[in-house]
């Protein structure tokens, strides 16, 4: 149990997928303009990374390792992730059309989000079993959600501040992201 807690804290805070590993920057920077859309993207990412971690762990353990086809892991993982994203996209289109519209092009981009694939491959590289893979996937996705919601909150507040013209737009967002990464670096002593 202690090991699972360490994996969760490490994935969410210490080795934050966006602020420490720099994976998944496209939706992090693109969808973080409003807290509502950032939280929606975070929810979609939580679902996709957690489920894909579970499915890819099972496929790798019971199919790829047993048949000696471990070299196909990247292709298989991409196919699993693409199928899950299509499911999420269909669900959001029917159940939450406003969120589906606000996420726009970034929802299909979850398929190519390197964070999703990166976590599936990291689970295999670290030799995590099924439960550890799911915990790592969930914690990583929660860490992504924490980071994107914090950045969205900061960006909403920055709209009302007097930012110099040369820093308006993406430059101030990148500076803010860098400062967030430095702040999250403070968690490195936890584990």
């Amino acid at each position: 149990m202690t090991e699972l807690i360490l994996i969760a804290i490490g994935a969410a805070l210490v080795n934050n997928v966006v602020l420490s590993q720099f994976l998944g920057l496209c939706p992090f920077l693109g969808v973080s303009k409003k807290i509502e859309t950032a939280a929606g993207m975070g929810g979609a990412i939580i679902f996709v990374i957690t489920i894909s971690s579970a499915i890819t762990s099972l496929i790798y353990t019971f199919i790829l390792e047993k048949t000696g086809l471990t070299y196909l892991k990247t292709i298989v993982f991409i196919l699993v992730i693409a199928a899950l994203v299509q499911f999420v996209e269909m669900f959001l289109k029917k159940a939450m059309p406003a969120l589906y519209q606000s996420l726009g092009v970034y929802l299909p981009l979850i398929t190519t989000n390197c964070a999703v694939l990166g976590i599936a491959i990291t689970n295999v590289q670290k030799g995590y079993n099924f439960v550890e893979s799911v915990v790592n996937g969930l914690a990583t996705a929660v860490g992504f959600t924490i980071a994107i919601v914090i950045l969205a909150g900061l960006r909403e507040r920055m709209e009302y501040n007097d930012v110099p013209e040369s820093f308006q737009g993406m430059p101030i967002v990148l500076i803010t992201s860098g400062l967030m990464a430095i702040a999250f670096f403070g968690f490195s002593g936890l584990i």
Side-chain angles (χ1 to χ4, degrees):
M1 185 65 172
T2 305
E3 188 173 330
L4 293 178
I5 292 171
L6 290 175
I7 289 172
I9 291 171
L13 299 176
V14 177
N15 298 316
N16 188 286
V17 72
V18 176
L19 301 174
S20 175
Q21 299 174 13
F22 306 113
L23 297 174
L25 289 176
C26 181
F28 177 69
L29 297 173
V31 185
S32 61
K33 292 178 183 167
K34 301 229 177 276
I35 292 176
E36 294 81 23
T37 54
M41 176 58 89
I45 291 286
I46 287 172
F47 177 79
V48 170
I49 289 181
T50 304
I51 300 300
S52 70
S53 292
I55 293 172
T56 56
S57 175
L58 292 173
I59 289 173
Y60 186 81
T61 303
F62 295 112
I63 297 174
L64 298 179
E65 276 188 333
K66 299 279 189 216
T67 59
L69 299 173
T70 56
Y71 60 91
L72 292 175
K73 70 179 173 246
T74 304
I75 294 169
V76 172
F77 292 176
I78 289 172
L79 293 174
V80 168
I81 292 164
L84 285 170
V85 171
Q86 288 300 315
F87 174 73
V88 169
E89 191 172 359
M90 289 186 308
F91 173 77
L92 287 179
K93 192 173 187 178
K94 295 286 183 192
M96 301 178 214
L99 179 59
Y100 175 79
Q101 289 289 68
S102 65
L103 291 176
V105 70
Y106 293 100
L107 188 58
L109 284 178
I110 295 175
T111 303
T112 58
N113 187 342
C114 53
V116 181
L117 179 60
I119 297 311
I121 291 174
T122 299
N123 289 338
V124 169
Q125 288 175 342
K126 290 188 176 182
Y128 287 158
N129 62 30
F130 177 75
V131 174
E132 292 169 337
S133 294
V134 172
V135 168
N136 186 49
L138 176 63
T140 299
V142 168
F144 178 90
T145 303
I146 290 168
I148 196 172
V149 169
I150 290 172
L151 182 62
L154 292 171
R155 284 181 77 174
E156 282 185 1
R157 290 193 153 217
M158 281 190 290
E159 284 183 27
Y160 303 109
N161 292 336
D162 187 26
V163 177
E165 187 177 340
S166 60
F167 288 107
Q168 289 179 359
M170 196 51 65
I172 194 69
V173 173
L174 291 173
I175 290 169
T176 305
S177 300
L179 292 172
M180 285 177 58
I182 292 170
F184 269 69
F185 184 70
F187 291 121
S188 63
L190 283 175
I191 296 178

